[in-house]
Amino acid sequence: MAADKKRLLAVCSLAGVILFAGCSGPRPALEREMPSAFPHHTVYQIRSLLTSSSDSLTSFRARSSLAYQTPDGGGSFSADIRDRRGDSLFVSISPGLGIEAARALVTPDSFFFYDRIKNRLLFGALSDTSGILPEPFTSEDLFGSLLGLQAPASDESWSVDADDAFYYLRDPEGLTEYVIDPAHWRVVRYEKRNSSGEVTHLRRFSEFDDFSGVVLPRRLEFEQPLEGSRASIYYRSITLNPQTLRFRLDVRDSTERISVSE
């Protein structure tokens, strides 16, 4: 019964507020200038160059187009995303014309999804978001995932290879791979496999642009092939380290509260 209830809520939550929004076309790409030391950087140098330009980032606000697809359905809409590193994520979902359909708040251990159309609040542990919020908003490294700031862990023994354009870092088991663009020092593809060799997570980052001196992707794609789900984000604008960020859900007193963890 609990599983059926959770599945029903998942189908009726995010899918229930979907209206299609216009997709943004690609912008002119940043010029790719390869560093003179390529392809001879060490793993330590690659990790340092991936993280050095983003160390000062503590928060961001972005206006975006978000699309997702799961076995239960899918759609696309506009979203105002606000995130503070290591703290909270707030998403305001809108079909346009000044109408706000839903709000979501994600903390390090819980989530709240306020469906303003159906006047109900779904909430629970972060581990219970499956089917309610798409993967980009439930990643372990939420801030880094949403800005395309992924980097290989420092406590892993990575092997490094290169072709004419990219570096490839792989773990000893060959289950995790990062494809890195040394022209921008950003990950362009992340792939994780299970022990059977099946891809469990696939992420792509593209259409890089300069935001206040930091190169970030405008387009991010997330896939979980075994679960049949995928999501993509296109950032129309990004403001880094804004002076203020608002995270209030402002739930009506009449709103029905539903715990998905029961």
Side-chain angles (χ1 to χ4, degrees):
M1 290 296 294
D4 291 340
K5 175 184 176 184
K6 185 174 179 181
R7 180 180 176 85
L8 177 62
L9 291 172
V11 174
C12 297
S13 58
L14 189 56
V17 299
I18 295 300
L19 287 177
F20 284 88
C23 297
S24 300
R27 294 170 178 249
L30 286 181
E31 183 178 351
R32 295 186 76 252
E33 183 176 348
M34 300 295 283
S36 59
F38 181 81
H40 304 296
H41 292 89
T42 65
V43 172
Y44 175 80
Q45 289 172 327
I46 292 171
R47 284 198 72 262
S48 297
L49 289 162
L50 282 172
T51 59
S52 60
S53 64
S54 60
D55 286 344
S56 62
L57 300 184
T58 59
S59 60
F60 77 92
R61 178 174 182 174
R63 299 191 182 280
S64 67
S65 298
L66 173 65
Y68 86 105
Q69 183 69 47
T70 73
D72 297 322
S76 59
F77 48 92
S78 296
D80 180 355
I81 301 174
R82 311 166 197 173
D83 193 6
R84 183 176 291 122
R85 198 169 205 160
D87 184 1
S88 300
L89 165 76
F90 179 90
V91 184
S92 173
I93 299 168
S94 172
L97 302 177
I99 301 172
E100 185 183 38
R103 299 170 184 165
L105 175 65
V106 180
T107 70
D109 59 5
S110 58
F111 82 97
F112 304 84
F113 183 87
Y114 180 24
D115 184 339
R116 297 183 44 136
I117 304 300
K118 296 184 179 295
N119 196 30
R120 63 185 179 184
L121 176 70
L122 308 182
F123 64 93
L126 196 58
S127 57
D128 295 319
T129 58
S130 179
I132 299 176
L133 293 176
E135 189 218 358
F137 303 126
T138 59
S139 305
E140 291 183 4
D141 179 16
L142 191 56
F143 189 85
S145 296
L146 286 174
L147 285 182
L149 298 176
Q150 299 221 248
S154 59
D155 57 354
E156 185 65 83
S157 299
W158 301 96
S159 65
V160 57
D161 295 298
D163 57 19
D164 293 339
F166 302 110
Y167 280 119
Y168 300 81
L169 268 62
R170 301 180 182 90
D171 68 352
E173 294 77 22
L175 301 180
T176 303
E177 180 184 71
Y178 290 85
V179 181
I180 297 157
D181 182 355
H184 302 314
W185 290 115
R186 286 289 176 260
V187 171
V188 296
R189 179 184 171 95
Y190 164 83
E191 183 178 284
K192 188 173 182 63
R193 298 176 178 269
N194 59 23
S195 57
S196 300
E198 300 169 301
V199 176
T200 59
H201 292 79
L202 179 61
R203 300 174 182 176
R204 302 182 186 90
F205 307 96
S206 60
E207 296 185 40
F208 292 90
D209 209 340
D210 187 306
F211 297 92
S212 301
V214 181
V215 174
L216 299 171
R218 283 190 179 272
R219 191 173 301 279
L220 303 85
E221 301 169 89
F222 303 80
E223 291 187 45
Q224 293 177 286
L226 298 184
E227 297 183 11
S229 66
R230 64 179 62 191
S232 65
I233 298 174
Y234 179 85
Y235 288 126
R236 297 191 295 271
S237 67
I238 301 177
T239 302
L240 300 176
N241 296 340
Q243 291 186 350
T244 58
L245 283 178
R246 187 173 180 272
F247 292 93
R248 293 175 56 186
L249 283 173
D250 290 333
V251 179
R252 305 184 189 101
D253 292 339
S254 61
T255 299
E256 179 184 11
R257 273 76 168 169
I258 303 173
S259 172
V260 300
S261 299
E262 296 177 351

